[in-house]
Each structure stands twice: as C-alpha cells, then as structure tokens.
Amino acid sequence: MNARALLPLAVVFATSCVLAAEPVRVVASELPPCVFADEELSGFSIELWEAIAEELELDYKLELVGFDEKLEAIKTASADVAIGCISVSADRELDMDFTHAVTTNGFSAASLIEASLIPNFSDESLKMLLLLLVFVIFFAHLMWWSEHGQTAISDRYIPGVFQSIWFSLVTMSTVGYGDIAPQRWLGRISAALLILTGVTAFGVIFGQFAADAIGQRAAKPVQSVGDLRTYVVGTKAGTAAALYLNELGVETMEHTDLVEAADAMREGSVDVVMHDTLAIAHLVQRSKDLVKTGPMFSPHYIGMALQASSPLRESLNATLLKLQSDGRYQAIHDRWF
C-alpha cells in the first residue's frame, strides 16, 4: 500500500487520538442569531456544533468568551475550536484553519425608520416617474399626430397636445371617461399600442410608488460604499465588519455589541449600524424602530475556526458534509434564519 493510500487512515487515526485524549476545548462568543447567551447557550452555531459532536461522540467543554478572546484562544492553542459567526478571511487564514463554510454572510447596514409624513421615494421610483413622463409625452404626440383636426382633439398643437396628454393618462390609468375617442384607424392603432404597453407600465410604476409610500424607509439610506463614507457608522469592536469599514476609510464608532450600537444610533452619535448580515437581520427583526437598508457588502463565508493544521479539521468537515446531505443541517439553519 503506497503513502497516498495510507494518508486518510493516518488522518482518521490522528483525529481519533485527539478525541480520545481529553475533552475538546470549544469557545464561543455571543452574537445572535449564531450564539445567544441566556441561561443556557443557544443559537445556530451552538445547535450545529452539538449535532456534530453527537455524530462524532465527541467529549467537549464549551466556554463563553469575548470575540477577540475567542480568536486569540485559537492562535495560542488554548482552545481547539471556535464557533459563532466567524468570517473566513485571508488575514485569519494566516493564523488558523477553518472548517468548510457553515453558511454565507456579508455586511449590511441598519438605520432608524424614516418618521416623516411625506414618503422618501427611492431612486427606483424617481426613475420610473421619468419613464412614465416619457410614455405620456410620446403617446400624446402620437395621438395628436394621428387624430388632430377631429372633434375631440384640436388641429392646433396647443391645446391639441394637452388634449392628447389627457387621453393618454385616462387610457393608461384604465379610467376611460370616453370624452375623447380615436376616429381614424391610425389613431385607433396608436390607442391599441397605448393600451398594450402604457397600461402595464402605469401599473408597475404606481405599484413601485405605493411600495415606497407604505413601506418602511430608512432615515439614513445606504445604497453604496459612497453612502457609508458620508455617515458615522456604528459596529461591533474587533470584528471583520470593523476591519472592513476601516479599510474603506469610513468614520467608525466601535461598540461592545450591536444593542449598544443601536442605542447610540437612537441617541444620534452614529447614523447607521453595520455588521454581519445575519446579525443585522436579527437586530432589525426584534427592533420596531429599525430597518435594514442597502445591499449586502463583501459577501463571504462563515466557518468554525481551528488551530493551524488541526487534526480535527477532516473529521469536522466530513461530519458537516454528512449533516448537509441528510437534511439535519438544513433543519437547524431554517430554525434560526
């Protein structure tokens, strides 16, 4: 048997020796919905780890520490596994290993909800309004060219074009007063085109306006990195989100947790809060005065951190793949996300 064939057996043997020696030292830090530190630890990362440990019949000791302490424990070999929404990054890969991705993540922002009585219409709505004006003006001129000189539409450009604008708006909105009706076949063909295209466009455009009017709008909207640079952004200290914001040159205030950051936003010392998308979604879901705003920035993977060259890596990865293939992983994921 050659060396390549013996390698998997060696990995299994080394892993079994580690598992049998003493309890595996596991560290976690509170970051909902991955880890909740109530009377008992719970959350996505906790439940997933328990399923892996049960599958491997693994004896372990779980300790709750701060986020920075958690990563430092892996670097200094005072812990074997770190769990709880740990972003896989190139910098961290220099000091530790990671399991396969347990889920995907990114960075998202949350803002206070706009309290104004006048809706703050989105850029998409304003673009659609411009499209509506183009539609109306185009079909108004088409109808005037087709029908001018008839009873309802004047032969003169003004007021004839305004009469055509009225006809276009009434037709597109499906009101249909009937005070203006095309008399020529060319006008009827133009009206048919208006009905087929304009009515659909009118409905879509005003649907977007209605969504903006009744939907929750961010007081400090974020659409791009450029928007972030105009705000003071609150985030959790010592995390990948804090590093990402600093690299972008965003003015940042770091807090011990997202609840503290959200309170700072309510007090006015920060404009928006930014952190892992999973954590922001959880924060918004439980805060009636907050709304998620903008896209997900810097998509990346979440994994369990291990010591460099850890003998646990292969067995943990194999078990994680098994949980994903038999549906147990998905059940855990859906329960928390």
Side-chain angles (χ1 to χ4, degrees), residues 32 49 106 136 215 253 308:
W49 171 255
V136 170
M253 288 186 65

Side-chain angles (χ1 to χ4, degrees), residues 90 112 118 179 257 309 328:
L112 291 172
I118 301 175
D179 53 340
D257 54 43
S309 304
R328 282 180 287 173

Side-chain angles (χ1 to χ4, degrees), residues 5-326:
L6 288 172
L7 181 60
L9 296 177
V11 170
V12 172
F13 177 75
T15 303
S16 64
C17 290
V18 171
L19 299 185
E22 58 182 24
V24 173
R25 300 162 297 177
V26 184
V27 288
S29 57
E30 183 176 18
L31 185 60
C34 291
V35 178
F36 292 90
D38 298 320
E39 294 182 1
E40 292 184 359
L41 293 181
S42 62
F44 168 72
S45 297
I46 298 296
E47 188 172 347
L48 181 60
W49 171 255
E50 289 173 347
I52 292 174
E54 181 180 1
E55 182 69 26
L56 289 172
E57 298 182 354
L58 181 61
D59 184 21
Y60 66 91
K61 180 181 179 181
L62 177 60
E63 182 182 359
L64 184 69
V65 298
F67 189 86
D68 290 338
E69 291 179 74
K70 175 173 67 177
L71 297 184
E72 189 62 27
I74 295 297
K75 294 178 185 178
T76 59
S78 59
D80 301 304
V81 183
I83 62 175
C85 285
I86 305 174
S87 299
V88 180
S89 67
D91 290 339
R92 289 174 179 170
E93 283 277 9
L94 297 176
D95 301 313
M96 60 191 76
D97 279 342
F98 287 90
T99 62
H100 291 326
V102 298
T103 189
T104 56
N105 204 2
F107 304 123
S108 294
S111 165
L112 291 172
I113 294 173
E114 174 63 58
S116 174
L117 294 176
I118 301 175
N120 183 14
F121 291 107
S122 65
D123 292 342
E124 192 68 26
S125 290
L126 297 179
K127 291 176 184 177
M128 287 189 170
L129 177 60
L130 179 61
L131 179 62
L132 177 62
L133 292 175
V134 170
F135 256 96
V136 170
I137 291 172
F138 171 77
F139 279 106
H141 282 80
L142 184 62
M143 287 303 301
W144 179 81
W145 177 73
S146 303
E147 289 289 313
H148 70 280
Q150 297 300 310
T151 306
I153 297 180
S154 173
D155 194 40
R156 292 180 296 168
Y157 180 75
I158 296 177
V161 73
F162 290 107
Q163 294 165 339
S164 297
I165 288 174
W166 170 252
F167 170 79
S168 298
L169 287 173
V170 167
T171 303
M172 290 173 69
S173 63
T174 69
V175 174
Y177 287 119
D179 53 340
I180 299 178
Q183 302 296 315
R184 297 172 177 166
W185 276 108
L186 187 57
R188 292 170 181 171
I189 293 172
S190 300
L193 290 174
L194 176 60
I195 292 170
L196 292 173
T197 59
V199 170
T200 301
F202 191 90
V204 170
I205 291 167
F206 273 85
Q208 176 66 39
F209 270 83
D212 281 349
I214 65 176
Q216 294 178 332
R217 298 285 300 159
K220 302 287 186 179
V222 174
Q223 297 297 331
S224 66
V225 169
D227 291 334
L228 289 173
R229 293 194 176 107
T230 66
Y231 297 138
V232 178
V233 181
T235 191
K236 185 174 179 179
T239 60
L243 179 62
Y244 174 74
L245 291 168
N246 289 332
E247 289 176 345
L248 292 177
V250 175
E251 185 177 354
T252 307
M253 288 186 65
E254 297 189 3
H255 304 269
T256 56
D257 54 43
L258 289 186
V259 174
E260 181 182 294
D263 288 339
M265 181 166 58
R266 295 183 181 103
E267 294 167 1
S269 56
V270 301
D271 298 308
V272 297
V273 173
M274 189 169 192
H275 198 57
D276 290 347
T277 298
L278 300 174
I280 288 293
H282 179 265
L283 177 69
V284 168
Q285 186 179 7
R286 285 156 177 78
S287 305
K288 294 182 179 180
D289 60 340
L290 302 184
V291 63
K292 182 178 174 295
T293 176
M296 182 172 72
F297 297 90
S298 186
H300 57 267
Y301 294 111
I302 295 294
M304 298 179 183
L306 310 168
Q307 296 176 22
S309 304
S310 172
L312 292 168
R313 188 171 184 269
E314 291 297 328
S315 59
L316 295 182
N317 280 339
T319 305
L320 181 58
L321 291 174
K322 182 177 181 180
L323 295 179
Q324 290 172 338
S325 65
D326 64 19

